[in-house]
Amino acid sequence: MIRWSSWYIHTTREIPADAEVVSHQLMVRAGMTRKVAAGIYSYLPLGWRSLRKLMDIVRREMDAAGAVELAMPAVQPAELWVESGRWQKYGKELLRIRDRHDREFCFGPTHEEVVTDIVRRDVKSYRQLPFNLYQIQTKFRDEIRPRFGWMRGREFLMKDAYSFHAAPESLDATYEAMDAAYRRVFEACRLEYTVVEADTGTIGGSSSHEFMVTAATGESAVVHCPACGYGANQEKAERAAWPSVGAAAPPPLERVPTPGRTTIADVSALLGVPADGLVKTLIYETDRGELVVAVVRGDREINEVKLQNAVPDALHLRLAPEERVREITGAPAGFAGPVGLRGAAILLADLSTREMRGFACGANEADAHLVNVDWQRDAAAFAGAARWLDLVTVGEGDPCPRCGEALAVVRGIEVGHIFKLGDRYSRAMQCTFTDEAGAEQPMIMGCYGLGIGRTLAAAIEQNHDADGIIWPLPLAPFSVLVVSLTPKDPESARAAEALATSLGARGLDVLLDDRDERPGVKFKDADLIGIPVRAVVGGKSFAAGSIELSLRRDREKVAVPVGEAEARLLDLVDRLR
Ligand code: ATP
Ligand code: MG
């Protein structure tokens, strides 16, 4: 049992100016954390207790899934990162530092290099594989926009695990085990979450899933199917095949003047063609200077991550400037189309446009559009040379790629990420083993991250009201708050103390608010810090022989005889577990 008066909880009414999201505001107000510098926070005792509860749950599930805990250093030598190729590639998020001998180091944003270096020294044979190593450790990423408190800090706690295998099937099995362990973690935390397929991007791993705690304030939009459970983030989400439209050949191609009409809405209004009858043509350039022409249906938005992934060699794509647009279309921006382009470009076409017949598009000529365009008849050159891909953002109402039912878009906070890495690091760093046939091969790896601080922030985003945090019991810094309402009255003060002590002896985490403060202050603080079960001892109700019990979630009070309070509280806690 812990006494508030001799512990360290400092609540405040003030909302810090930089706290944009509710979890950040409430954490600061409840005295869970204090900012030290942008994206760098101290974990105050109340916050640390919640973090420890989460870390206990994570350790329990990781251990149960066969992972082995170790601890790796925060500071890592540059040489390892040069070996993996990431010293150059990682960019400014990597905090680089020098020691007194002018040797280069970084503050680790992740630990693939260090763990691969450990393993390549120790493990030589397929007989020693597989295994899965994990740690809970402080990372540093020099985020361009640290914000939302623990949600996107620069220094933060992460559970990261790395598995090593002789064969892909073995990686698959561990990946499944990690997926299941993560589900158990978030279920044990009593959080609402979804698991989505994630983009593996340029790292080129074969499979990746993100665990998202759903919350209206989430940074990422995820697509999910209420009918079959399919889920994917918006960079990855697909939809069922596009329906074919109009089998008959359209009337002959026509050029129509469209002076000054460069937007889909304007063109659509002028031509009387709905947006889904238009083909939108976007022109990008890579940083090597190649042009990329992409077409999508007029009513759909191109997804730049999908687009980027479609052009693996390009380091970076950006919308082409006006002069480059003229170079390939011969027209000012806004009149581009797939018919009659005048130069070499990488051609990409979204699947939404494949079945379109008789569509409208830019004429590659100032102030003109084409109507009645048919791919085979009028735009065969483009249609033949283009790669047909999924390039658009899938949204609300699109049919599910698995079951065809309507997809929904929800917002979420990415709290965990599991990834099949393959041999990307082991090959670059010569982390090899001898297989059964005696041949030397790179190990196959998986990695599994879970944000500790971010998960707690997400828990608050999902569980709060206007007055404060409503902790799910498994993450609450204390399970029960005993409020000694009239601490100057010796009899009720003793009863509060006795109740808190005996609950503590029964193994519960109990906080006793024994401060000499007005009831109003105590109730406000109690609501703010969000302990799930509350017992109020004192005042009129105590004079009448009872103690008032309530849950933070609904705050409905029940008066129970003093002698029954303990049993009732144990029962309430049990029901919230
Ligand atoms: P994001 O897209 O949000 O930047 P990420 O893809 O960089 O995340 P990973 O490298 O997969 O994240 O890290 C694993 C986990 O670490 C994430 O799922 C998240 O929970 C947590 N995490 C990542 N960056 C931060 C951060 N800046 N602050 C707090 N937690 C973080
Ligand atoms: Mg990141």
Side-chain angles (χ1 to χ4, degrees):
M1 185 264 282
I2 281 172
R3 287 181 184 79
W4 193 314
S5 64
S6 51
W7 215 53
Y8 193 93
I9 305 176
H10 292 281
T11 61
T12 153
R13 295 278 126 78
E14 265 160 64
I15 300 175
D18 65 340
E20 298 167 57
V21 293
V22 97
S23 58
H24 186 190
Q25 297 171 356
L26 289 175
M27 275 190 193
V28 174
R29 289 189 47 215
M32 293 172 61
T33 191
R34 292 288 175 254
K35 179 164 130 183
V36 179
I40 302 178
Y41 292 87
S42 294
Y43 305 116
L44 300 191
L46 203 58
W48 187 244
R49 275 184 83 96
S50 283
L51 287 167
R52 283 189 47 181
K53 295 244 172 133
L54 174 58
M55 291 190 279
D56 286 348
I57 293 171
V58 170
R59 286 197 167 96
R60 184 184 77 208
E61 295 303 339
M62 291 301 290
D63 293 345
V68 183
E69 187 170 0
L70 83 174
M72 291 182 273
V75 175
Q76 310 180 4
E79 295 86 77
L80 292 178
W81 286 72
V82 170
E83 266 192 76
S84 72
R86 287 207 288 186
W87 188 254
Q88 302 303 329
K89 274 198 207 130
Y90 211 91
K92 292 203 162 178
E93 235 179 62
L94 189 65
L95 180 65
R96 296 157 210 254
I97 46 188
R98 279 174 196 274
D99 71 4
R100 64 167 75 203
H101 306 293
D102 229 22
R103 284 192 282 253
E104 287 190 293
F105 290 83
C106 65
F107 200 109
T110 174
H111 280 69
E112 283 83 2
E113 281 80 0
V114 173
V115 76
T116 304
D117 181 53
I118 294 170
V119 170
R120 69 179 168 182
R121 291 157 193 270
D122 289 336
V123 180
K124 306 286 177 209
S125 159
Y126 72 93
R127 283 194 211 87
Q128 297 163 309
L129 294 165
F131 51 84
N132 188 6
L133 298 172
Y134 83 96
Q135 62 176 349
I136 295 178
Q137 191 262 0
T138 298
K139 304 279 183 261
F140 195 97
R141 295 182 181 179
D142 205 350
E143 299 274 355
I144 185 163
R145 252 196 98 195
R147 56 184 182 157
F148 304 163
W150 293 3
M151 204 112 82
R152 186 169 294 285
R154 293 199 294 167
E155 188 181 305
F156 59 95
L157 282 169
M158 193 202 289
K159 187 287 298 171
D160 46 328
Y162 307 89
S163 67
F164 292 79
H165 310 268
E169 302 73 46
S170 164
L171 170 61
D172 293 347
T174 298
Y175 190 84
E176 290 307 316
M178 286 293 100
D179 179 280
Y182 275 39
R183 289 171 197 264
R184 281 195 296 271
V185 165
F186 298 118
E187 266 146 38
C189 294
R190 299 278 174 262
L191 296 176
E192 305 268 330
Y193 70 99
T194 59
V195 188
V196 300
E197 287 174 16
D199 171 46
T200 50
T202 44
I203 304 177
S206 54
S207 189
S208 167
H209 286 83
E210 285 171 353
F211 290 73
M212 318 284 302
V213 166
T214 46
T217 50
E219 271 190 301
S220 5
V222 299
V223 171
H224 92 115
C225 176
C228 76
Y230 167 79
N233 70 17
Q234 275 203 317
E235 282 77 56
K236 172 86 182 177
E238 292 172 8
R239 48 158 283 154
W242 295 85
S244 54
V245 277
L253 181 72
E254 237 184 279
R255 179 176 274 94
V256 182
T258 51
R261 313 292 171 110
T262 58
T263 65
I264 290 290
D266 284 352
V267 174
S268 162
L270 182 76
L271 300 179
V273 175
D276 64 5
L278 293 170
V279 161
K280 179 159 66 177
T281 305
L282 295 127
I283 300 170
Y284 294 82
E285 74 179 340
T286 72
D287 33 10
R288 285 196 311 235
E290 295 123 316
L291 288 169
V292 177
V293 178
V295 297
V296 302
R297 209 171 75 176
D299 61 332
R300 305 300 302 222
E301 291 309 318
I302 202 152
N303 184 296
E304 300 213 345
V305 174
K306 288 182 177 176
L307 185 72
Q308 182 73 57
N309 290 343
V311 193
D313 285 334
L315 294 171
H316 187 68
L317 280 180
R318 59 178 167 268
L319 276 170
E322 177 84 22
E323 68 273 15
R324 306 269 356 240
V325 172
R326 276 183 188 277
E327 175 188 324
I328 183 129
T329 65
F335 300 97
V339 183
L341 290 166
R342 8 190 123 183
I346 298 166
L347 305 181
L348 302 172
D350 183 66
L351 294 169
S352 61
T353 63
R354 182 153 62 181
E355 302 294 335
M356 290 173 75
R357 301 202 77 182
F359 58 84
C361 61
N364 293 323
E365 179 187 319
D367 298 329
H369 278 76
L370 302 177
V371 296
N372 304 330
V373 185
D374 183 85
W375 281 119
Q376 294 320 317
R377 188 186 65 195
D378 309 314
F382 188 102
R387 282 165 55 218
W388 295 81
L389 304 156
D390 171 34
L391 294 173
V392 296
T393 297
V394 166
E396 193 81 37
D398 273 328
C400 172
R402 297 237 179 99
C403 75
E405 291 299 312
L407 293 167
V409 176
V410 292
R411 298 207 73 82
I413 299 161
E414 180 204 314
V415 289
H417 192 179
I418 61 176
F419 208 103
K420 290 185 188 172
L421 287 172
D423 63 3
R424 184 188 179 294
Y425 294 93
S426 51
R427 194 175 282 278
M429 296 182 66
Q430 282 108 50
C431 178
T432 58
F433 69 100
T434 310
D435 69 14
E436 255 173 292
E440 195 168 318
Q441 290 199 39
M443 294 180 201
I444 297 169
M445 292 172 61
C447 72
Y448 317 93
L450 192 155
I452 301 294
R454 189 183 285 185
T455 298
L456 275 197
I460 296 176
E461 288 295 329
Q462 205 175 71
N463 298 279
H464 68 270
D465 63 16
D467 298 316
I469 303 168
I470 307 173
W471 281 115
L473 185 101
L475 298 178
F478 297 93
S479 304
V480 181
L481 174 66
V482 177
V483 180
S484 178
L485 198 64
T486 42
K488 287 200 168 122
D489 160 42
E491 207 184 325
S492 72
R494 263 198 307 276
E497 169 104 20
L499 177 62
T501 306
S502 71
L503 287 169
R506 301 291 294 267
L508 292 192
D509 271 340
V510 186
L511 177 63
L512 171 66
D513 185 357
D514 59 341
R515 292 174 301 165
D516 181 15
E517 288 284 1
R518 285 180 292 110
V521 170
K522 295 193 170 203
F523 287 133
K524 271 212 151 50
D525 278 346
D527 285 345
L528 182 58
I529 69 172
I531 309 306
V533 178
R534 188 186 304 175
V536 178
V537 188
K540 275 193 218 120
S541 120
F542 185 73
S546 56
I547 289 178
E548 264 177 13
L549 311 185
S550 60
L551 296 182
R552 172 63 184 86
R553 197 165 286 282
D554 57 19
R555 286 181 287 198
E556 266 172 45
K557 290 175 218 146
V558 204
V560 301
V562 175
E564 283 173 28
E566 182 179 326
R568 294 287 290 271
L569 285 164
L570 286 167
D571 184 49
L572 284 175
V573 168
D574 252 359
R575 276 195 267 151
L576 290 177
R577 272 192 223 279

